[in-house]
Amino acid sequence: QVQLVESGGGSVQAGGSLRLSCAAYGYIYSTQCMGWFRQAPGKEREGVAAIDTGAGATSYADSVKGRFTISQDNAKSTVYLQMNSLKPEDTAMYYCAAGLWAGSRCYALDRADFGYWGQGTQVTVSS
């Protein structure tokens, strides 16, 4: 069993920055991939960024490329999402997720490949 706890959400003006954190607890060695997803009201949950925890390689949704950076601190079992140049359309509940698959199944950010989820942290960007 893996538990994920997000933190770092909040309210910011457009153009600002936030850093989300996701601390993992439990049998984390079973996971090969960590991802960030977001869900805005009335919309589907969408993948934002993923990191293959073994290779360290990353992938991003087109909408956040060049603005968001996913990283990991293995010593702390924590994954981060640095969000810069935030836009009002980035407003959503952000969820951390852990998956069993490395490589292409990690980078594809398919919700079905992530078996563990955090409770979410709200990000609100005002114009």
Side-chain angles (χ1 to χ4, degrees):
Q1 191 75 359
V2 175
Q3 295 82 41
L4 304 173
V5 179
E6 302 104 330
S7 61
S11 297
V12 66
Q13 288 192 324
S17 298
L18 284 172
R19 189 176 81 156
L20 306 183
S21 299
C22 172
Y25 303 92
Y27 194 63
I28 61 175
Y29 301 105
S30 65
T31 61
Q32 303 289 329
C33 177
M34 296 294 292
W36 287 96
F37 291 75
R38 67 185 181 187
Q39 187 167 18
K43 294 189 176 181
E44 294 274 323
R45 190 172 297 189
E46 63 174 355
V48 174
I51 184 165
D52 181 318
T53 57
T58 59
S59 69
Y60 298 91
D62 288 342
S63 58
V64 305
K65 279 181 182 176
R67 300 189 298 122
F68 290 11
T69 302
I70 187 171
S71 61
Q72 61 180 348
D73 183 335
N74 289 332
K76 296 181 179 179
S77 299
T78 299
V79 173
Y80 305 96
L81 185 68
Q82 178 67 43
M83 305 185 295
N84 298 328
S85 302
L86 282 162
K87 304 176 181 180
E89 51 264 42
D90 294 318
T91 295
M93 185 72 79
Y94 282 71
Y95 298 90
C96 175
L100 301 179
W101 306 103
S104 59
R105 290 186 69 173
C106 174
Y107 309 140
L109 282 165
D110 186 332
R111 288 181 296 169
D113 286 329
F114 290 80
Y116 303 101
W117 294 83
Q119 81 287 353
T121 185
Q122 178 68 37
V123 171
T124 302
V125 184
S126 58
S127 58

